[in-house]
Amino acid sequence: MRDSNDTDAQRSEGRGGIPRVTLVGAGPGDPDLITRKGLRALATADVVLYDALSSKELLDETPAHCQHIFVGKRAGCHYKKQEQINALIVECAVEYGHVVRLKGGDPFVFGRGQEEKAYAEAHGISVTVVPGISSCISLPELQGVAPTSRGYADSFWVLTAHTRDGGLSEDLFRAAKSSATVIILMGLGRLDQICALWDAEGKGTLPAMVIQNGSRPDERCWVGTVNDIAPRVAAERDRGPGIIVLGKTVRQHKKFTRKASISANDTW
């Protein structure tokens, strides 16, 4: 595998060509969940800038001359700042030709793909977008839980737990009042705070699920209720990525058992 954290050491091997960028959604983690169009983009790449959530197996789909540059970001650990990534995309496109920006999930679902697209286009470089399968729908589905389902939920919300300044998103407070399935990305570190919001709305017995390292060999899944899941996850999880699912649809999970009685008087 051809991997580099510094493009300067690799410049002499690039082919060059017309600068262009393809933003490719790599899917939730399983390398088989990328699209055919995404694979075709990788097959013609001169440089791939990949993040921590995209499978490194996908780098094997690139040509022999292609350079692989890690620009990963995870909670509490940013290898490169977003501004540096934007500049690197343009630099590599000008120097090498076709740059594939490989991003976990979908590039535009909390992936900042729009910022990268706008920056490259502002520098006169054409950008193609290849959507990816987002973890927000695929990971619950792989657990047998439908985000929407008749008799359970008519809609679903997709939220991030964090605002730009590091606080809790105001949308979380609104979502806690909703009867929709709520799917929260990048929120495991604040699971206890999130569950407290739902509990304050009288939803302590609402089914809850946490999926970590979803669709990967080391996937883990916890199923319970709002008032019992946070301490279990905190004691057992690692630093890998995860999502939170709150809603009646979690009852569909084969391992779900109601530890608190759910009566007809429950308002959620």
Side-chain angles (χ1 to χ4, degrees):
M1 183 174 292
R2 303 162 307 286
D3 204 348
S4 172
N5 292 328
D6 184 355
T7 58
D8 290 339
Q10 307 293 340
R11 291 186 185 281
S12 63
E13 298 181 26
R15 285 185 175 179
I18 298 173
R20 62 189 178 102
V21 173
T22 306
L23 296 178
V24 175
D30 181 345
D32 288 339
L33 292 178
I34 193 172
T35 63
R36 290 176 62 187
K37 191 169 185 178
L39 289 177
R40 287 199 296 269
L42 287 171
T44 61
D46 296 308
V47 179
V48 175
L49 276 61
Y50 66 99
D51 64 25
L53 300 182
S54 57
S55 172
K56 292 189 73 171
E57 290 182 43
L58 292 174
L59 301 179
D60 294 334
E61 304 293 333
T62 61
H65 73 275
C66 181
Q67 307 305 319
H68 304 155
I69 304 172
F70 177 68
V71 292
K73 294 190 292 183
R74 278 188 178 171
C77 181
H78 287 198
Y79 182 76
K80 288 186 181 295
K81 295 181 179 179
Q82 186 62 50
E83 294 77 12
Q84 294 175 302
I85 295 172
N86 294 347
L88 189 58
I89 289 171
V90 169
E91 177 186 351
C92 288
V94 171
E95 181 71 22
Y96 294 114
H98 183 202
V99 172
V100 169
R101 176 68 172 101
L102 188 64
K103 304 172 73 70
D106 179 88
F108 287 1
V109 179
F110 302 120
R112 303 185 74 170
Q114 180 59 34
E115 297 176 38
E116 296 172 354
K117 179 176 182 291
Y119 187 90
E121 290 177 338
H123 287 77
I125 297 172
S126 66
V127 179
T128 300
V129 177
V130 180
I133 300 174
S134 175
S135 63
C136 69
I137 56 172
S138 60
L139 298 188
E141 290 171 7
L142 289 171
Q143 293 292 331
V145 174
T148 61
S149 183
R150 288 193 297 177
Y152 292 96
D154 296 328
S155 62
F156 68 96
W157 295 41
V158 181
L159 309 172
T160 177
H162 301 279
T163 60
R164 180 176 292 184
D165 60 7
L168 280 177
S169 170
E170 286 295 322
D171 284 339
L172 286 171
F173 294 84
R174 302 183 183 96
K177 300 178 184 296
S178 171
S179 62
T181 304
V182 178
I183 301 167
I184 303 167
L185 309 186
M186 298 174 286
L188 291 193
R190 296 189 171 185
L191 180 59
D192 56 342
Q193 294 174 266
I194 292 167
C195 288
L197 293 180
W198 264 252
D199 190 44
E201 295 293 330
K203 299 179 179 180
T205 58
L206 185 70
M209 176 172 66
V210 170
I211 306 167
Q212 187 174 45
N213 300 315
S215 79
R216 301 170 185 267
D218 57 347
E219 177 182 76
R220 301 186 72 183
C221 180
W222 296 264
V223 177
T225 60
V226 164
N227 60 17
D228 72 12
I229 199 167
R232 291 166 49 207
V233 173
E236 299 174 8
R237 76 179 182 93
D238 58 32
R239 293 181 60 84
I243 71 168
I244 302 163
V245 184
L246 305 172
K248 295 180 185 179
T249 58
V250 176
R251 291 183 188 174
Q252 298 169 334
H253 195 282
K254 63 183 180 181
K255 293 184 179 179
F256 180 72
T257 56
R258 289 174 290 180
K259 296 184 179 181
S261 61
I262 301 175
S263 72
N265 294 324
D266 285 325
T267 57
W268 45 260

